Amino acid sequence: MRKTREVMRLHFELHLGQRQIAHSACLSQSTVHDYLERFAAAGLSWPLPPEMTETELEARCFLRH
């Protein structure tokens, strides 16, 4: 399972850098960078709508590429 929502929360709410997010979420820094790029490319903004499920978020970010 991807940690897309957690990466976005750490980025937008806690204003952590990519290295800090990678450490906190147990991901590589390149994965965090990729998630942030995909989020922006999908035209999404934070906060996400409360009704958006993890499946919908991943579909918007990952199925387009």
Side-chain angles (χ1 to χ4, degrees):
M1 176 186 244
R2 292 188 177 102
K3 299 178 180 181
T4 312
R5 189 178 303 265
E6 178 64 4
V7 168
M8 296 312 131
R9 184 186 73 79
L10 293 171
H11 177 74
F12 289 108
E13 292 181 12
L14 299 182
H15 307 287
L16 297 181
Q18 290 182 21
R19 186 172 293 163
Q20 292 171 306
I21 294 169
H23 180 74
S24 177
C26 298
L27 297 168
S28 71
Q29 191 173 347
S30 62
T31 298
V32 171
H33 180 76
D34 183 53
Y35 283 16
L36 292 170
E37 282 191 340
R38 287 172 179 269
F39 187 85
L44 296 167
S45 62
W46 192 265
L48 293 170
E51 65 275 1
M52 181 175 277
T53 66
E54 199 67 30
T55 303
E56 291 172 310
L57 175 59
E58 289 186 16
R60 293 276 304 270
C61 291
F62 293 93
L63 296 181
R64 303 178 80 174
H65 296 281

